[in-house]
Amino acid sequence: MTPSGTTSGGAPGPAGQPAWELLLPAAGAPARRRGRALQEALREAVRSGRLAAGTRLPSTRELAADLGVSRGLVTEAYEQLTAEGYLRGERGAGTWVGGAVRAGRVGAATGTGGGGRDPVAGVPDVRVDFRVDFRPGTPDLSLFPRSAWAAAQRSVLARLPHRALGYPDPRGLPELRGALAGMLARRRGVVADPERLVVCSGVAQASTLLGFVLRARGLRTVGVEDPGSPEHGRLFASTGMETVWLPLDGEGLRPEPLAASGVRAVVVTPSHQFPSGIGWSAERRAALLDWARTVGGYVLEDDYDGDFRYDRAPVGALQGLDPERVVYAGSVSKSLAPGLRLGWMLVPEELLGEVVERKRTMDLGNPVLDQAVLAEFVTRGGYDRQLRRCQRAYRERRDALLAALAARLPGIEVSGIAAGLHVIARVPALFGPPERFLARAAEAGVALRSLEEYGTARPSDGDVRLVIGYAHLSPSAIAEGIGLLAGAVGA
Amino acid sequence: MTPSGTTSGGAPGPAGQPAWELLLPAAGAPARRRGRALQEALREAVRSGRLAAGTRLPSTRELAADLGVSRGLVTEAYEQLTAEGYLRGERGAGTWVGGAVRAGRVGAATGTGGGGRDPVAGVPDVRVDFRVDFRPGTPDLSLFPRSAWAAAQRSVLARLPHRALGYPDPRGLPELRGALAGMLARRRGVVADPERLVVCSGVAQASTLLGFVLRARGLRTVGVEDPGSPEHGRLFASTGMETVWLPLDGEGLRPEPLAASGVRAVVVTPSHQFPSGIGWSAERRAALLDWARTVGGYVLEDDYDGDFRYDRAPVGALQGLDPERVVYAGSVSKSLAPGLRLGWMLVPEELLGEVVERKRTMDLGNPVLDQAVLAEFVTRGGYDRQLRRCQRAYRERRDALLAALAARLPGIEVSGIAAGLHVIARVPALFGPPERFLARAAEAGVALRSLEEYGTARPSDGDVRLVIGYAHLSPSAIAEGIGLLAGAVGA
């Protein structure tokens, strides 16, 4: 992790000094174009390996002086490339070439790494090729509360008894289970008995745990929402369960196809359906639970963004209505950081022993120190503060997105805006056929997903339905992205 | 995790003051007996719930004054009960009633928690009922380098780029894979290509990952050492693989039964066999690899205590001899703490993609911050320092054990002493039949395991073969335990 000792790089100039000016071929161009040229040159130098991972860049002041450009232009270039993952900055300590670009060289079969794989949408991260990336699934990682987290880590290491460093309880640290149960009951309206709460590494692991348990009970199929997250199906497939697509309408899962499917387990996102953005109606919630009771089935509720509600009071989780039929799963991936790999599930009594034993054989339980830190964070109010902070930031970004769409792409219809980290924008066919629309956006440097990528439906109206993630983008990046998009499609 | 606000507890005395003196019924007895009586009274008060979890105890000075005993006696009682898990101490901040005793109330089916579950031996933790617990599997948790770890945590949080907090690479952080590969090549003689190294949560997860991969390739059985760790079989069973016991002799796995078994995968502990303590001979290592090449099979090498060698140079890992047939697995559980849940595996090229995809569906990868901290710790030399420190401590304890055994139980034969965290002691039949020997030891407060508990062999010579773990015990506790044992069996 330590950057190499190199303090500068690039093509070597006379007397071994790096020739940073070689990075800027268009030295005579106007400032705006020079800024872009600098960014492209830096990007290319990293991509090609001329600037190796770990190379420390000159300070913005030095490089600006070397190149004879304004310092602001260099700062902007560093910031842009840091956001794109080419560079990494350390507060007050400089800027380095990041390792992410090189790290991506392993093939798709073994999964690429990096910061942006979305476990819900299963979107591989190729963000570095786009100027503005609206693909959903990643929160704003810069909102992670580093100093509060560091303080909690310090406190935990100072007070945790030695014994707690031993093999953990596979269900999770009792203190964390108690803290989470209280928090979830209060915020999400779940029935949260700490004895039924199992700490896990996130919704993905919750899916795998449940899949193995249900498979061992003889179930062979699981129903998933259509449209929905392809990742749900992949996770259950890894446990030997086959996926059955179940159609949604504007209210939730349609009851008849569900009943006819023969499945006895489903995965749903009722609070803010992924990706359509709808909230399930009360009738459909009730109908799903009726179905579950009738067939003796189970519902996995993926509450992936249930923490974020902007215009009305949060809808309580489905689990609160029937904790014996619903497995509730959530995580800190959207509220703190996916890299923490910490989540939870609330498990019906009947499945509890099997889920815990499966958790035990998978990994013996989650790391103790992380659990203790989160327990402290929740107990002392840090988690609520963090949620309020994210909520404010994300509401502002959503509003920026809605404003930019209204201003630059008139005639589009936006839905799913009341909650979560993404919206659905329906763009009329008059902007061209869907494929061409997306291709043009990509050419303009704007990454987007269409709703069709998440399900089997292929509407014939020619409209483009975009899934636009905004939480990880600043209001100005959002405005820029929508501007680029509008320009590209001739709006 | 925060202790309750209560600053004292116990039976309430006049005017609401706690009547701590009620804890000490034998007030007139000699000091030594009073010390023991105080410990027993405290233990009983916690067990019964009279002193609730989170209750803060008076300072040693206060309690000593209240009870009219020496402060040393109170200090000793607190230390003993802290070691046993009844109490927990926070440096300079006091002593509380711990939560561990209460936390154990869930039944065996869902796994009890606490600090002492041994994933190798599968020994549930009931340590609180014994005065000296020689059961193997836990390192000395007080050796965990808290301040160095805290410093690495601070440094990581200060410098990690935001992007690194996103979804991780399921194979592990590139920096950690590089650091571990270097460390393992140097210390264990493995062939350690960072591209073949997968970070996982420990040997248990490595076993499950491999089990699922091999099961998906059509294998249905896995061979395990007899005697060996029952946990290996349980972990593979969770992936749908059946266990076949394969007999050991003094040199390693016997080749003929292995060949005749029909298995195409085995789990072995060649560096310091668990539990027999033998190191496999060079011939048997070669024979195992020949077998693997012949049948196209795989070997899982569980290097559970390969870091600790006392009297000679370490034996290199088996994997170094054939990295395409051997999956090497290790962890920080014995060198740092099991609660960190961090380990690694080196995977043959042919299995790599499948193992990584399985890791991805299990948990999407290990927590990022923990990985970055370990990478920093390894890179900056902290890990080597920690191993040296443990090695010194454990050698001293082993020597204390050997000395105590020689002095108090003459005629016994000790083996497996060159490495690891436990030895085998063969006690002649003249001390009574095995069952009676173990029962007497337990009555005297000494927990022990016999070798027979780990395999199918039942020797007819009447000798007792003890598996004695010493790493988690101080030299004085070791001497006390062996003294109690000698007294109990009439030696």
Side-chain angles (χ1 to χ4, degrees):
Chain A
M1 298 302 299
T2 321
S4 78
T6 326
T7 57
S8 59
Q17 292 303 306
W20 289 101
E21 61 278 5
L22 294 183
L23 285 172
L24 198 59
R32 197 190 151 150
R33 207 179 296 160
R34 297 186 82 193
R36 186 156 305 164
L38 174 61
Q39 292 179 24
E40 274 168 20
L42 276 171
R43 215 181 268 119
E44 182 48 36
V46 175
R47 258 204 219 103
S48 68
R50 273 197 299 135
L51 284 181
T55 304
R56 184 201 282 264
L57 270 67
S59 72
T60 51
R61 190 200 315 263
E62 288 165 355
L63 186 54
D66 281 3
L67 300 176
V69 299
S70 79
R71 193 174 166 190
L73 191 145
V74 177
T75 303
E76 200 189 326
Y78 280 20
E79 284 174 356
Q80 179 62 30
L81 271 75
T82 302
E84 291 176 4
Y86 287 94
L87 304 181
R88 42 183 241 253
E90 198 166 311
R91 288 149 186 212
T95 302
W96 286 269
V97 176
V101 177
R102 289 307 196 86
R105 70 188 153 106
V106 152
T110 58
T112 58
R117 174 171 284 269
D118 169 16
V120 175
V123 180
D125 180 14
V126 285
R127 183 150 300 156
V128 289
D129 293 318
F130 293 99
R131 294 197 41 203
V132 181
D133 189 339
F134 284 116
R135 288 173 299 179
T138 308
D140 183 347
L141 300 170
S142 77
L143 293 176
F144 182 72
R146 294 191 186 223
S147 54
W149 198 257
Q153 283 183 327
R154 245 189 333 271
S155 154
V156 159
L157 267 181
R159 71 169 162 69
L160 214 60
H162 294 316
R163 184 188 165 81
L165 298 170
Y167 288 101
D169 185 328
R171 296 172 300 166
L173 217 58
E175 293 83 351
L176 178 59
R177 283 158 43 217
L180 289 174
M183 184 273 286
L184 292 169
R186 177 166 51 79
R187 294 193 69 96
R188 303 295 299 124
V190 298
V191 177
D193 177 354
E195 294 297 315
R196 302 268 207 103
L197 192 143
V198 178
V199 175
C200 62
S201 81
V203 176
Q205 186 174 62
S207 304
T208 317
L209 287 168
L210 183 64
F212 279 122
V213 166
L214 295 179
R215 185 68 194 77
R217 287 180 160 237
L219 274 66
R220 298 183 163 271
T221 53
V222 60
V224 298
E225 295 171 319
D226 181 7
S229 161
E231 186 69 350
H232 284 143
R234 280 193 285 269
L235 292 167
F236 276 90
S238 79
T239 70
M241 303 268 282
E242 260 179 68
T243 299
V244 178
W245 289 102
L246 298 172
L248 285 173
D249 58 21
E251 286 193 65
L253 221 47
R254 289 173 47 211
E256 299 76 20
L258 169 61
S261 69
V263 301
R264 280 180 50 216
V266 295
V267 192
V268 295
T269 53
S271 297
H272 183 240
Q273 203 273 330
F274 188 88
S276 76
I278 64 162
W280 283 35
S281 70
E283 290 73 19
R284 289 298 171 79
R285 292 166 160 251
L288 181 70
L289 296 177
D290 279 347
W291 164 85
R293 289 180 207 116
T294 306
V295 304
Y298 290 101
V299 175
L300 175 59
E301 177 176 24
D302 175 356
D303 199 26
Y304 70 105
D305 67 1
D307 284 317
F308 304 110
R309 283 289 167 287
Y310 307 117
D311 306 316
R312 51 181 165 84
V315 182
L318 194 64
Q319 190 265 5
L321 302 175
D322 194 342
E324 300 305 334
R325 290 287 136 205
V326 180
V327 178
Y328 173 90
S331 78
V332 303
S333 293
K334 304 295 187 281
S335 53
L336 286 166
L340 292 180
R341 307 306 315 124
L342 255 176
W344 45 80
M345 54 197 299
L346 287 161
V347 184
E349 180 70 36
E350 196 179 50
L351 303 179
L352 184 62
E354 290 152 71
V355 167
V356 172
E357 176 56 15
R358 186 56 72 171
K359 171 70 177 163
R360 197 185 76 77
T361 55
M362 264 193 200
D363 56 22
L364 302 186
N366 272 63
V368 169
L369 296 179
D370 300 351
Q371 292 190 66
V373 170
L374 181 59
E376 171 139 337
F377 205 67
V378 171
T379 309
R380 301 208 174 167
Y383 195 72
D384 282 331
R385 271 194 297 280
Q386 171 69 5
L387 287 176
R388 283 195 296 275
R389 191 174 161 220
C390 292
Q391 173 107 352
R392 272 196 305 275
Y394 296 158
R395 184 195 282 122
E396 186 193 358
R397 290 162 199 203
R398 182 203 60 163
D399 293 344
L401 175 63
L402 298 181
L405 286 170
R408 305 299 306 268
L409 286 163
I412 72 156
E413 187 186 289
V414 188
S415 58
I417 66 173
L421 314 178
H422 74 279
V423 300
I424 298 292
R426 180 171 169 175
V427 187
L430 56 96
F431 287 109
E435 309 71 40
R436 214 163 103 210
F437 183 94
L438 289 167
R440 285 213 178 160
E443 279 161 27
V446 179
L448 283 166
R449 293 255 171 224
S450 85
L451 190 55
E452 295 181 9
E453 298 176 56
Y454 296 95
T456 63
R458 298 287 173 270
S460 55
D461 56 15
D463 292 356
V464 189
R465 288 162 182 82
L466 301 171
V467 183
I468 307 186
Y470 53 80
H472 57 291
L473 298 168
S474 69
S476 63
I478 289 168
E480 186 200 353
I482 299 301
L484 286 169
L485 185 62
V489 302
Chain B
M1 300 300 299
T2 320
S4 79
T6 325
T7 56
S8 58
Q17 293 303 304
W20 289 101
E21 62 277 13
L22 294 183
L23 285 172
L24 197 59
R32 199 190 149 149
R33 206 178 296 162
R34 297 185 81 193
R36 185 157 306 163
L38 173 60
Q39 292 180 23
E40 273 168 22
L42 276 170
R43 215 180 268 118
E44 181 49 34
V46 174
R47 258 204 219 103
S48 68
R50 274 198 298 137
L51 284 180
T55 304
R56 185 200 280 264
L57 270 66
S59 73
T60 51
R61 190 199 314 264
E62 287 165 356
L63 187 54
D66 281 4
L67 299 177
V69 299
S70 79
R71 194 173 166 192
L73 190 145
V74 177
T75 303
E76 199 189 328
Y78 280 19
E79 284 175 356
Q80 177 64 29
L81 270 75
T82 301
E84 292 176 4
Y86 287 94
L87 304 180
R88 42 182 239 252
E90 198 167 312
R91 287 149 186 210
T95 303
W96 286 269
V97 176
V101 177
R102 290 306 196 87
R105 70 190 154 104
V106 153
T110 58
T112 57
R117 175 170 283 268
D118 169 17
V120 175
V123 179
D125 180 12
V126 285
R127 184 151 300 156
V128 288
D129 293 318
F130 293 98
R131 296 198 38 204
V132 181
D133 190 339
F134 283 116
R135 288 174 300 179
T138 309
D140 183 345
L141 300 169
S142 77
L143 293 176
F144 182 72
R146 294 193 184 219
S147 53
W149 198 257
Q153 283 182 328
R154 248 192 328 274
S155 154
V156 159
L157 267 180
R159 71 169 162 70
L160 215 60
H162 294 317
R163 184 188 166 80
L165 298 170
Y167 288 102
D169 186 328
R171 298 171 300 166
L173 216 59
E175 293 81 352
L176 178 58
R177 283 157 44 218
L180 289 175
M183 184 273 287
L184 292 170
R186 177 167 49 81
R187 296 193 67 96
R188 304 294 299 125
V190 297
V191 177
D193 177 356
E195 294 297 314
R196 303 268 207 102
L197 192 143
V198 177
V199 175
C200 61
S201 82
V203 176
Q205 187 175 61
S207 304
T208 318
L209 287 168
L210 183 65
F212 279 122
V213 166
L214 295 179
R215 184 68 193 78
R217 288 180 159 236
L219 273 66
R220 298 183 164 270
T221 52
V222 60
V224 297
E225 295 171 318
D226 180 9
S229 160
E231 185 70 352
H232 285 142
R234 280 193 285 268
L235 292 166
F236 276 89
S238 79
T239 70
M241 304 268 280
E242 260 178 68
T243 298
V244 177
W245 289 101
L246 297 172
L248 285 173
D249 58 23
E251 284 193 66
L253 220 49
R254 289 173 47 210
E256 299 76 21
L258 168 61
S261 70
V263 302
R264 279 180 50 218
V266 295
V267 193
V268 294
T269 53
S271 297
H272 182 239
Q273 203 273 331
F274 188 88
S276 76
I278 64 161
W280 282 35
S281 70
E283 289 74 20
R284 289 296 171 80
R285 293 166 158 250
L288 182 70
L289 296 176
D290 278 346
W291 163 84
R293 290 180 206 117
T294 305
V295 304
Y298 291 101
V299 174
L300 174 59
E301 177 177 23
D302 175 356
D303 200 26
Y304 71 105
D305 67 1
D307 284 317
F308 305 111
R309 284 288 167 289
Y310 307 118
D311 306 316
R312 51 180 165 82
V315 181
L318 195 63
Q319 190 264 5
L321 302 175
D322 194 341
E324 300 306 333
R325 291 287 135 207
V326 179
V327 178
Y328 172 89
S331 78
V332 303
S333 293
K334 303 294 187 282
S335 52
L336 286 166
L340 293 179
R341 308 305 316 126
L342 256 176
W344 45 80
M345 55 197 299
L346 287 161
V347 184
E349 180 71 36
E350 196 179 50
L351 302 179
L352 184 62
E354 290 153 71
V355 167
V356 172
E357 176 56 18
R358 185 56 71 170
K359 171 70 180 164
R360 198 186 75 77
T361 55
M362 263 193 200
D363 56 21
L364 303 184
N366 272 64
V368 168
L369 295 179
D370 301 350
Q371 292 190 67
V373 170
L374 181 59
E376 170 139 338
F377 206 68
V378 171
T379 309
R380 301 208 174 167
Y383 195 72
D384 281 332
R385 271 194 297 281
Q386 171 69 6
L387 288 176
R388 283 195 296 274
R389 191 174 161 219
C390 292
Q391 173 108 349
R392 270 197 305 275
Y394 296 158
R395 184 196 282 122
E396 186 193 359
R397 290 161 200 203
R398 182 203 61 161
D399 292 344
L401 175 63
L402 298 181
L405 286 170
R408 305 299 306 269
L409 286 162
I412 72 157
E413 187 187 289
V414 187
S415 58
I417 66 173
L421 313 179
H422 74 278
V423 300
I424 299 290
R426 180 170 169 177
V427 187
L430 56 95
F431 288 109
E435 309 72 42
R436 213 161 106 212
F437 184 93
L438 289 168
R440 285 213 176 159
E443 278 162 27
V446 179
L448 283 165
R449 294 255 171 222
S450 86
L451 189 56
E452 295 182 7
E453 297 176 57
Y454 297 94
T456 62
R458 299 286 172 271
S460 56
D461 57 14
D463 291 355
V464 188
R465 288 163 183 82
L466 301 172
V467 183
I468 307 185
Y470 53 80
H472 57 290
L473 298 169
S474 68
S476 63
I478 290 169
E480 186 200 354
I482 298 302
L484 285 169
L485 185 62
V489 301

